[in-house]
Amino acid sequence: MFTGAKYLLRGLGWVARHPRQWLFGLIPAVIVLAVYAVVLGLLAFNLDTVAAWVTPFADGWSEGLRTATRVVAGLAVFGASAFVAVLTFTALTLLVGDPFYESIAVRVEDSQGGAPPEPDEPLLTQIARAVKDAALLGVIAVAFALVFFVCGFIPVIGQTVVPVLAACVSGYFLAGELASVALERRGVHRRERLGLMKRQRPLVVGFGVATFVVFLIPLGAVLAMPGAVAGATLLARERLAINPLLTEGGRDAPEYR
């Protein structure tokens, strides 16, 4: 897991040495952040109303107990929403900024010895697959958010264990989305990608959780996004892409790294 976290540091170090690529990669992240900030801001502004809406059973309770329940409910709703936002932020930013991050990934690979050739596939097919993957990730994120929302009501566990589990789950999928830029170029799509991630789960979780924590810092998701893409590219190139699944047409997998 610590090795996985080091890949994020390496990615951040790479963009620090290539400031133009960092500025280039900020553009799509800023656009998506603006949209998410408005949505989460509206939620925070109306959190009392939302908390009351999800806890109608507390209407007849004493004022103290009702207030405490709705405070917990409000925190759980906002926490679940933040979880969904962090998880889908990456997928949506990669979707919006595909040309930007593809360029960064290629430059990272060139700095390490060369990138594999671009897949011989129509652009519309690539876009359709990216939209489908983003939509599927959104469904998964909502499902997990609902589970964590319910578990958030459990005393003590809901405020300690659940946030840690949420970070691990979010980090795992974050790492997969970030590594998809490099793996898609190697012809490794969602199902195969999940298989590769499963074989290297501690490594992937380490990278993903470190990224998740950085993304929770105000503006961290925007400022660190180019570095996260660079780190995930290095992770995919050096660890995830070394797998028999990449053998194709009799050609040896290392040629595709």
Side-chain angles (χ1 to χ4, degrees):
M1 290 184 69
F2 287 109
T3 300
K6 288 179 182 178
Y7 274 99
L8 176 61
L9 296 177
R10 288 180 58 187
L12 294 173
W14 189 91
V15 295
R17 295 190 299 273
H18 301 81
R20 289 185 180 180
Q21 295 301 309
W22 176 69
L23 291 172
F24 183 64
L26 291 182
I27 297 173
V30 169
I31 294 172
V32 176
L33 177 68
V35 175
Y36 274 29
V38 170
V39 174
L40 288 176
L42 288 173
L43 175 62
F45 185 76
N46 296 284
L47 198 57
D48 289 344
T49 303
V50 174
W53 179 71
V54 299
T55 57
F57 52 84
D59 288 344
W61 294 1
S62 63
E63 183 178 352
L65 184 57
R66 182 175 63 248
T67 300
T69 300
R70 287 179 174 168
V71 167
V72 172
L75 292 174
V77 168
F78 195 82
S81 301
F83 169 82
V84 173
V86 171
L87 193 53
T88 57
F89 175 86
T90 302
L92 187 56
T93 303
L94 290 175
L95 183 62
V96 172
D98 182 68
F100 296 84
Y101 298 123
E102 178 71 21
S103 174
I104 291 175
V106 170
R107 289 182 178 273
V108 170
E109 300 233 45
D110 284 342
S111 71
Q112 301 297 309
E118 192 170 343
D120 184 17
E121 196 173 47
L123 178 60
L124 289 178
T125 300
Q126 296 180 44
I127 293 174
R129 184 171 57 246
V131 171
K132 180 181 177 181
D133 288 351
L136 180 61
L137 181 66
V139 172
I140 293 172
V142 170
F144 273 111
L146 289 173
V147 172
F148 292 137
F149 168 72
V150 174
C151 292
F153 285 97
I154 302 174
V156 182
I157 293 177
Q159 294 74 49
T160 53
V161 177
V162 172
V164 173
L165 290 177
C168 290
V169 171
S170 181
Y172 185 75
F173 286 107
L174 272 178
E177 286 302 303
L178 290 165
S180 68
V181 178
L183 293 177
E184 290 271 350
R185 196 176 185 87
R186 292 167 167 78
V188 181
H189 303 311
R190 176 169 44 82
R191 183 172 297 179
E192 293 84 1
R193 185 165 70 244
L194 290 174
L196 293 175
M197 291 167 57
K198 184 178 180 181
R199 290 175 175 81
Q200 298 271 13
R201 186 176 288 127
L203 186 77
V204 172
V205 170
F207 174 81
V209 169
T211 305
F212 178 82
V213 171
V214 172
F215 278 16
L216 288 179
I217 300 171
L219 295 181
V222 174
L223 299 177
M225 189 67 180
V229 171
T233 300
L234 294 170
L235 175 67
R237 177 186 178 89
E238 297 176 4
R239 302 296 292 266
L240 297 182
I242 306 174
N243 193 284
L245 287 173
L246 298 185
T247 303
E248 179 179 86
R251 292 172 290 185
D252 193 52
E255 297 176 9
Y256 289 85
R257 284 187 245 157

